[in-house]
Amino acid sequence: MVMHFRDFLSQLPEQVAMKILHYLSPLDLLRASQVNKHWHALCSRNDVWFIKYKEAEFAIPKTHTVTDWKNAYRSKYCATLNWKKGKCKPLQLLGHGAMVTCLAIQEELLASGSRDKTIQIWNLPSGLHVKTLEGHRKGVWGLQFFTDNLLVSASYDTTIKIWNVRLGDCARTLYGHDGPVWSIALKEYVLVSGSQDKLVKVWDVRRCHLLHTMKGHTQAVFAVDVDSTIKQAFSGSADKSIRIWDLDTGTCLRALCPTPLTSVSSCAITSISFDGGYLACSAGNIVWLYSVTTAKCLQWFDHHKKRVESVKLKAVHQKDEVKLLMLSAGQDGKVNHWDPSDYKESLQTLRGASAGVTCTLCDDTRVIGASKDNSIWIWDFGIATRTL
């Protein structure tokens, strides 16, 4: 008896065929794509994998513009699986002559600033050094990419510089602070800077124009951030307070003062990070998580043994809820990954840096840390797996 099978999918209107494929799991899509060329073309379409990407609950949020959603799904799936297993490939970058203080990332470029007065540019996929930017008279303490080719830096020499990365030249220098500029944050064209002079300044990077000078802190400002809507700015200071600023008027909306958890007196705010209505901050070896709307402390974390130097918070929207992910790093040389809904212990603790970690950031598959031992550590969770 001869069995005759009919390729029903090829005979259906494309809209109906795609509707059917949307119900398949990612693994079933991959199996179906092996039937024939027509099925492979349908199962590999960008709109199908865009939906699968959105349906998935990945641990590491997407951080860049995606054009190929199938490859994005595969990359994120592998990274998330490796993250859960603690499987990563550590890489150490060497090139600075003093402590690395700050980092910035733009697609495949990594910029690092140091007390050695230089900014080093690296190629992330290969880990190779690209070029060195020189021009600051003292250490570099803040970095932010404005465009793919323009990089903003803040320095102990009181200046803020804008660099043309491709040419390796300083395009503009902004003057305004009377002390070292410890931190900068950039959203679209709005730059916020915090300085030893106790001031928070707001700049329009497009015109290199000062918009506001915001007064209120009584000691040095060590950390700043901006919300994605460019309506509010946040600053943390050695006066042990966090201030929330209105960027339209330059006025202070509210002040938060994290309370010490022990009899030990409170410490300077060394790092802050805002996303999705939540604010993470560090003082001493403690990390606090606040709701900006209610101004209430939701949680605190005290697993670092020494001062926390860097906090990064990310709000990931999953279906009808918001999941918070947080990275913290400190002088104990540890980089901890937290789920704020379960504060008892960190999800991951990354090791490698022999000295304290001064700054952290992450992209889709990597966590990057700057170290006091003059090096940069990259923990790559994007190594291939055989599962998908």
Side-chain angles (χ1 to χ4, degrees):
M1 181 178 179
V2 178
M3 301 293 293
H4 295 280
F5 297 95
R6 180 174 296 176
D7 183 359
F8 73 95
L9 200 65
S10 300
Q11 297 180 13
L12 291 174
E14 185 175 296
Q15 186 176 2
V16 177
M18 295 308 300
K19 183 71 174 179
I20 294 173
L21 292 177
H22 285 168
Y23 288 101
L24 298 183
S25 69
L27 188 56
D28 288 335
L29 279 173
L30 293 177
R31 289 168 176 163
S33 69
Q34 299 176 35
V35 173
N36 56 41
K37 290 183 179 180
H38 181 68
W39 283 45
H40 183 274
L42 292 177
C43 293
S44 300
R45 281 183 47 157
N46 225 21
D47 53 346
V48 174
W49 286 98
F50 171 78
I51 292 174
K52 296 306 161 188
Y53 192 103
K54 295 302 181 184
E55 290 175 349
E57 296 184 353
F58 289 121
I60 306 174
K62 179 181 73 69
T63 57
H64 69 272
T65 303
V66 173
T67 55
D68 186 341
W69 285 101
K70 183 178 180 180
N71 283 334
Y73 186 98
R74 181 186 291 111
S75 175
K76 191 60 68 69
Y77 179 88
C78 292
T80 301
L81 192 63
N82 290 331
W83 181 264
K84 291 179 180 179
K85 295 180 178 180
K87 184 179 179 182
C88 67
K89 179 182 178 182
L91 174 66
Q92 187 182 27
L93 304 182
L94 299 172
H96 282 290
M99 180 178 78
V100 184
T101 55
C102 52
L103 300 167
I105 190 172
Q106 181 69 26
E107 298 295 343
E108 295 187 348
L109 287 182
L110 172 69
S112 59
S114 167
R115 277 186 171 178
D116 65 10
K117 311 175 189 178
T118 70
I119 300 167
Q120 307 286 359
I121 307 297
W122 312 81
N123 177 270
L124 263 179
S126 65
L128 296 177
H129 180 262
V130 177
K131 65 179 59 179
T132 300
L133 305 180
E134 296 181 289
H136 281 297
R137 293 179 288 106
K138 294 185 179 180
V140 180
W141 286 87
L143 288 172
Q144 293 284 328
F145 273 99
F146 178 42
T147 67
D148 291 344
N149 186 50
L150 294 179
L151 177 69
V152 184
S153 64
S155 172
Y156 195 93
D157 65 13
T158 76
T159 68
I160 298 171
K161 291 182 179 290
I162 302 175
W163 303 84
N164 184 312
V165 176
R166 185 177 64 255
L167 299 177
D169 296 333
C170 176
R172 295 292 295 271
T173 301
L174 306 181
Y175 300 93
H177 283 292
D178 293 327
V181 185
W182 295 117
S183 178
I184 53 175
L186 179 62
K187 289 292 191 302
E188 295 186 16
Y189 62 89
V190 175
L191 176 74
V192 178
S193 58
S195 168
Q196 185 72 30
D197 62 12
K198 311 173 190 176
L199 301 177
V200 178
K201 290 183 180 287
V202 184
W203 312 79
D204 183 338
V205 180
R206 300 171 303 180
R207 299 181 293 152
C208 296
H209 177 67
L210 179 63
L211 300 176
H212 297 294
T213 295
M214 302 187 291
K215 302 178 180 179
H217 284 296
T218 58
Q219 293 188 45
V221 180
F222 289 140
V224 293
D225 203 356
V226 187
D227 75 344
S228 59
T229 64
I230 323 180
K231 295 295 183 182
Q232 294 181 338
F234 309 87
S235 59
S237 169
D239 65 14
K240 307 170 187 177
S241 74
I242 298 166
R243 290 184 177 266
I244 303 174
W245 307 88
D246 186 317
L247 284 176
D248 290 330
T249 63
T251 58
C252 181
L253 300 174
R254 179 176 289 170
L256 305 176
C257 296
T259 55
L261 304 179
T262 65
S263 57
V264 180
S265 60
S266 55
C267 302
I269 307 296
T270 52
S271 181
I272 60 175
S273 181
F274 173 85
D275 195 26
Y278 298 90
L279 180 73
C281 67
S282 65
N285 69 321
I286 310 296
V287 177
W288 282 268
L289 178 66
Y290 278 89
S291 166
V292 172
T293 304
T294 63
K296 291 183 178 180
C297 178
L298 304 177
Q299 204 55 267
W300 53 267
F301 311 85
D302 63 348
H303 288 253
H304 284 282
K305 301 303 181 183
K306 296 182 180 180
R307 189 174 72 193
V308 177
E309 299 285 358
S310 175
V311 174
K312 289 291 184 293
L313 180 68
K314 184 67 178 179
V316 182
H317 294 273
Q318 297 179 342
K319 297 179 181 178
D320 297 328
E321 64 177 3
V322 177
K323 182 178 180 62
L324 298 177
L325 302 172
M326 186 168 65
L327 285 174
S328 63
Q331 292 188 356
D332 56 8
K334 297 179 181 179
V335 178
N336 285 334
H337 170 245
W338 306 91
D339 178 356
S341 63
D342 181 11
Y343 68 94
K344 293 182 181 179
E345 60 181 63
S346 61
L347 297 177
Q348 293 281 351
T349 297
L350 305 178
R351 304 174 188 272
S354 59
V357 179
T358 59
C359 176
T360 56
L361 51 77
C362 67
D363 65 2
D364 285 2
T365 61
R366 291 166 288 229
V367 175
I368 307 170
S371 176
K372 295 182 72 175
D373 64 5
N374 309 350
S375 70
I376 301 161
W377 280 88
I378 301 175
W379 294 273
D380 187 357
F381 291 87
I383 51 180
T385 68
R386 296 182 180 179
T387 308
L388 183 64

